[in-house]
Amino acid sequence: MAELGRAALIVSLGLALYAALAGFWAARTRKRRLADSAGNALLAALGATAVAAAVLLSALIRHDFSFTYVADHTSTELPLGYSVSAFWGGQEGSLLLWLLVLTGYGAAAVLLNRRRAPDLVAWTVPVLAGIASFFAFLLVAVASPFATQNAPAQGAGLNPSLQNPYMLAHPPLLYLGYVGLTVPFAFGMGALLAGRTDERWIVATRRWTLFAWTALGVGQLLGAHWAYVEVGWGGYYAWDPVENAALMPWLAATAFLHSVMIQEKRGMLKVWNMLLVILAFGLSLFGTFLTRSGVVNSIHSFTQSSIGPWFLGFICAVVAFALALVFWRLPLLRSKTRLESLVSREATFLYNNLLLVALCLTILWGVAFPILSELVKGESRTVGRPYYDFFLRTFGLPLLLLMGIGPLVAWRRASLRALRRTFVWPAGVAVAVGILLLALGAGSSAPGLIAYTFSAFVLASVTLEFVRGTRAAGSFTQLVSRNRRRYGGYVVHAAIVLLAVGIAGSSAYGSSSERRLTPGQTMKVGRYTLAYRSVAQRRGPNDLEVRAAVDVYRGRTLIGHVHPGKNTYFAEQQVSNEMAIRTDWLRAEDLDVITDQIDPNGTIYFKALVKPLVNFIWLAGVVFLFGSVVALWPDAREQRRLVSRYALPTPAEA
Amino acid sequence: MNGALVIGAVVAVLAVVLVAVPFMREPTALDDTLAEPDELEKRTLELSEERDRALAALKELEFDHRTGKLSDDDYRELVGGYRRRAAAALRALG
């Protein structure tokens, strides 16, 4: 079967190369049949890649250890679900997933747009196919998942921290996000190559971008929850380079989703939007490079490998090509309209863009700093949490405030009188909440207090926008159905508020405690008292599980029991921390108990953390998804208008 | 092994057929030119976008005015300009 996988990948590479070269030639010489043939080659590349993926999946499920990849990432003791997730648990498999998703997106984009915008798609196909060719080449020549060996009796198993249900969804969602950003990039480059400066490429990719952005956002939150429940250190985001690698393109895509509205409404920011699309895609490639090259130390990254230089070269080539293209088309991208006022909705979008890009670039600097310091000074220096926290506060808090200001300001211009009228309620609510929180003792953390006050302002502003909008539109459903993107966006803003509340609460107002306990001893953390009772062990399906029995008291009242411990995996010969979490749903607060060290005599070094409001972060994920679906939902009226606007005669009609 | 070879051959043949379909369907096309907007169509497209932008702006001005975000003076001052733009685009589009 490995031969079939290898052959399918070679066919996929051949098809992608054909699509890139023939597609380029067809677009340049305006050959219709050749352009269609190149588009079809991209569809066929999806088929060939799907066959390769099916071969690998089948080998993983059958535990066919004659495949080196299967032997390296599974064992016979591994449950079926995790055998499937081993597909993306290793380098070669995850590269195959990249190619599968990329050709899938490419094929769908070609099928949906080739009749509506044939000239644009003709230039987009070679860009998509060029990127697919690179990944297919890596899989064929550098990191094949179909390398074979004499089958050992047992496989090495999957990294224990990856043996978690979240790993079934988190990586594929991230891939849908990373790879999805290829579509707006390819269409943007296609528009530049075709010399089209109209909004066709934006209309064609709007939903793709939103979908990719949603997948990346949900994927990151799932990853944060996985880190929280599985990695066993009591946190959900550590500013790890690989975590940042997913955050950066998401921030760039967020900026793009906002600024693209200015181009649609006012015909402005054409160059800026192209640069954001390049930045978002470039960062998604950079993230993939970070995860796979081994240039940075991360708990998430794969081991040192030979594909790093290939990736770096590809990123440089892509960014240089894209920037050269923008520079070449600059005369066509000049905007005819200007910003009418610095106090307008457009202006708030612009400020939001500057802050998002600034935050994105400071994170990029933090990620790249160890690599650059290694290159320049010969020693790798990392920037720590204080660096990131400082910039998150510096750019994140004004961003939060802008989310509340934006909906209150009119498009084009806003007078002082109108601003006074629209601001009075949200500002009043924010001040009242701030004073109340101050009285309740939230002043112990200034950034926390500011975050809560701004959050109250945003929620009041969004609520007011819905109330006033409903009054003006006549009904709530009419209001939302007429502008799903806007009102879905407001729901997403509410999700970001929940996220901010959760982050501020759990980081600024949390407490922690560490102690070595023998059975019968107690320790205090926040309002809780923990009493260590006993320790026991049992055999799991593929591991030995040691668990401590701990009683949890609030005051003198017993409120529950937790069982933190460690798992020792047989095949992988690795130990994982199994943190115990007790959730107080009323306060949205978690008590996390970790067994840092378990001695053979039963003495355990416990670490306990209280994380107020941390569950708002996970609730934010649900609200975020709901808002995104509202924004993504197709609008029949808009579709009809766009179809009539862009209806080009087909050759037959001509 | 034989099954794998058969599947591989089928995949390769299907891929070749799919790539060749445009040429097989039209071995000698009367017009093999890729549809591309000419200057007139590009101008029409530009005017359509201008029209849609102006009409959307008018709707937004109206909405912002009704929700109290835009003062009466600003509304009156802005609405005239966008009405003229929409009318000009509609006139040019015929």
Side-chain angles (χ1 to χ4, degrees):
Chain A
M1 287 298 273
E3 291 85 357
L4 176 61
R6 270 197 293 269
L9 281 180
I10 291 169
V11 170
S12 183
L13 172 62
L15 289 164
L17 280 173
Y18 172 80
L21 298 173
F24 175 78
W25 187 247
R28 197 175 151 73
T29 55
R30 297 181 60 196
K31 301 277 186 210
R32 178 173 55 85
R33 286 178 304 164
L34 190 59
D36 283 348
S37 169
N40 284 3
L42 206 54
L43 305 185
L46 168 65
T49 311
V51 169
V55 169
L56 184 62
L57 199 59
S58 150
L60 286 165
I61 292 169
R62 289 182 293 109
H63 299 300
D64 183 347
F65 297 139
S66 67
F67 285 64
T68 310
Y69 183 82
V70 177
D72 286 349
H73 298 97
T74 66
S75 67
T76 49
E77 289 167 341
L78 197 66
L80 176 68
Y82 299 135
S83 294
V84 171
S85 72
F87 191 110
W88 45 84
Q91 174 142 273
E92 295 83 357
S94 65
L95 284 174
L96 181 55
L97 184 64
W98 234 101
L99 183 64
L100 182 68
V101 177
L102 175 59
T103 49
Y105 270 126
V110 167
L111 283 173
L112 288 172
N113 292 290
R114 76 191 325 179
R115 297 286 163 241
R116 295 182 201 161
D119 60 320
L120 180 58
V121 169
W123 277 113
T124 304
V125 164
V127 180
L128 282 168
I131 298 162
S133 299
F134 169 72
F135 281 93
F137 166 76
L138 283 183
L139 284 160
V140 167
V142 187
S144 173
F146 299 112
T148 48
Q149 61 182 4
N150 288 326
Q154 183 56 285
L158 188 67
N159 187 328
S161 61
L162 300 181
Q163 294 180 36
N164 181 287
Y166 282 97
M167 281 299 117
L168 296 172
H170 160 63
L173 276 171
L174 281 190
Y175 277 78
L176 283 175
Y178 276 141
V179 188
L181 293 174
T182 315
V183 178
F185 171 79
F187 271 83
M189 296 305 104
L192 290 178
L193 286 162
R196 288 190 68 158
T197 54
D198 55 88
E199 290 160 20
R200 191 67 190 87
W201 76 273
I202 286 173
V203 170
T205 60
R206 211 156 52 188
R207 287 207 159 72
W208 295 93
T209 316
L210 202 51
F211 178 77
W213 175 82
T214 303
L216 203 51
V218 175
Q220 282 180 87
L221 277 172
L222 285 180
H225 202 232
W226 164 77
Y228 182 57
V229 299
E230 181 63 33
V231 182
W233 59 285
Y236 43 81
Y237 199 87
W239 295 107
D240 179 280
V242 173
E243 292 170 347
N244 291 341
L247 180 62
M248 289 185 289
W250 187 82
L251 289 171
T254 308
F256 173 68
L257 284 172
H258 285 87
S259 67
V260 84
M261 281 189 254
I262 308 298
Q263 183 169 344
E264 285 179 57
K265 287 178 189 297
R266 309 295 309 278
M268 292 159 58
L269 303 181
K270 290 179 180 175
V271 177
W272 178 249
N273 282 326
M274 281 293 178
L275 293 177
L276 284 179
V277 160
I278 296 167
L279 182 67
F281 177 62
L283 286 171
S284 81
L285 283 179
F286 183 66
T288 316
F289 161 71
L290 278 183
T291 324
R292 281 160 191 80
S293 61
V295 294
V296 289
N297 286 322
S298 159
I299 56 161
H300 307 275
S301 61
F302 297 99
T303 50
Q304 192 84 29
S305 81
S306 55
I307 68 166
W310 290 98
F311 249 102
L312 203 55
F314 183 64
I315 294 170
C316 292
V318 164
V319 172
F321 162 78
L323 291 179
L325 213 50
V326 172
F327 187 73
W328 176 44
R329 292 299 196 189
L330 265 184
L332 291 176
L333 294 170
R334 292 223 166 88
S335 160
K336 289 173 192 162
T337 44
R338 301 180 78 84
L339 199 65
E340 283 170 54
S341 164
L342 288 175
V343 187
S344 61
R345 182 77 66 90
E346 296 91 314
T348 62
F349 275 41
L350 204 61
Y351 306 143
N352 130 313
N353 258 245
L354 293 175
L355 288 167
L356 282 166
V357 171
L359 181 58
C360 180
L361 294 181
T362 47
I363 295 172
L364 178 63
W365 177 248
V367 170
F369 188 72
I371 307 167
L372 295 175
S373 66
E374 173 104 46
L375 281 174
V376 177
K377 292 194 167 179
E379 58 175 309
S380 178
R381 288 186 177 183
T382 54
V383 293
R385 190 169 194 108
Y387 168 88
Y388 293 111
D389 284 348
F390 172 78
F391 284 108
L392 181 65
R393 284 196 293 265
T394 306
F395 298 123
L397 288 174
L399 262 171
L400 191 61
L401 183 64
L402 271 177
M403 281 199 314
I405 293 175
L408 302 175
V409 184
W411 288 96
R412 289 160 196 87
R413 185 187 301 178
S415 68
L416 205 60
R417 232 177 75 189
L419 285 177
R420 260 204 305 268
R421 198 168 44 228
T422 53
F423 269 72
V424 65
W425 274 106
V429 168
V431 170
V433 168
I435 292 170
L436 183 69
L437 288 173
L438 202 58
L440 291 172
S444 59
S445 163
L449 183 65
I450 294 170
Y452 284 152
T453 309
F454 285 0
S455 297
F457 177 68
V458 179
L459 281 184
S461 150
V462 168
T463 309
L464 195 66
E465 180 69 1
F466 272 103
V467 170
R468 282 182 176 152
T470 303
R471 241 183 259 155
S475 82
F476 180 77
T477 44
Q478 214 164 29
L479 173 80
V480 177
S481 65
R482 277 187 180 173
N483 202 335
R484 290 197 176 93
R485 259 204 298 168
R486 178 187 295 179
Y487 292 97
Y490 287 153
V491 176
V492 170
H493 283 188
I496 303 297
V497 167
L498 291 175
L499 189 70
V501 169
I503 292 172
S506 57
S507 56
Y509 301 105
S511 48
S512 68
S513 177
E514 293 175 31
R515 250 191 95 181
R516 187 179 295 277
L517 301 179
T518 53
Q521 286 188 313
T522 61
M523 67 185 278
K524 277 187 176 297
V525 56
R527 289 186 300 264
Y528 300 95
T529 302
L530 306 178
Y532 170 34
R533 295 291 168 220
S534 59
V535 66
Q537 63 181 44
R538 72 179 182 96
R539 199 185 189 284
N542 58 341
D543 59 358
L544 184 70
E545 299 171 0
V546 181
R547 293 291 181 272
V550 179
D551 297 341
V552 182
Y553 292 85
R554 191 180 290 135
R556 287 171 181 273
T557 316
L558 177 70
I559 57 168
H561 313 277
V562 290
H563 299 91
K566 288 181 186 295
N567 288 356
T568 305
Y569 291 85
F570 308 127
E572 297 81 4
Q573 297 191 329
Q574 290 184 43
V575 178
S576 72
N577 238 342
E578 300 298 315
M579 182 176 82
I581 302 172
R582 190 187 183 280
T583 301
D584 181 341
W585 292 109
L586 206 63
R587 293 182 168 89
E589 172 182 279
D590 276 0
L591 165 70
D592 304 334
V593 186
I594 302 160
T595 52
D596 256 359
Q597 192 188 320
I598 303 175
D599 293 340
N601 64 1
T603 305
I604 296 180
Y605 190 82
F606 282 99
K607 185 177 174 188
L609 305 105
V610 178
K611 295 206 164 287
L613 302 176
V614 70
N615 289 293
F616 273 58
I617 296 173
W618 323 127
L619 178 64
V622 178
V623 179
F624 174 83
L625 184 62
F626 174 68
S628 301
V629 170
V630 172
L632 271 165
W633 207 262
D635 182 339
R637 250 181 319 195
E638 196 193 9
Q639 286 299 316
R640 277 197 297 274
R641 187 173 56 78
L642 292 173
V643 165
S644 79
R645 189 204 285 178
Y646 293 111
L648 266 182
T650 62
E653 286 166 351
Chain B
M1 179 65 190
N2 283 341
L5 275 176
V6 170
I7 297 170
V10 169
V11 169
V13 168
L14 281 178
V16 171
V17 169
L18 194 57
V19 170
V21 155
F23 297 102
M24 284 158 51
R25 212 164 34 199
E26 293 177 85
T28 48
L30 288 175
D31 180 10
D32 192 27
T33 313
L34 191 65
E36 195 179 58
D38 57 23
E39 283 312 309
L40 182 67
E41 283 167 336
K42 277 184 184 168
R43 177 73 190 133
T44 307
L45 198 56
E46 203 178 301
L47 285 167
S48 302
E49 286 186 352
E50 177 61 27
R51 173 203 61 197
D52 290 352
R53 248 184 235 132
L55 291 174
L58 284 169
K59 272 189 192 168
E60 250 154 24
L61 287 173
E62 172 76 23
F63 192 75
D64 281 351
H65 184 229
R66 282 166 70 185
T67 51
K69 286 180 224 166
L70 202 60
S71 68
D72 292 346
D73 291 345
D74 281 341
Y75 175 71
R76 270 194 296 274
E77 200 184 319
L78 287 165
V79 84
Y82 283 101
R83 274 190 191 139
R84 277 191 294 279
R85 274 195 216 177
L90 284 165
R91 254 197 316 276
L93 282 166

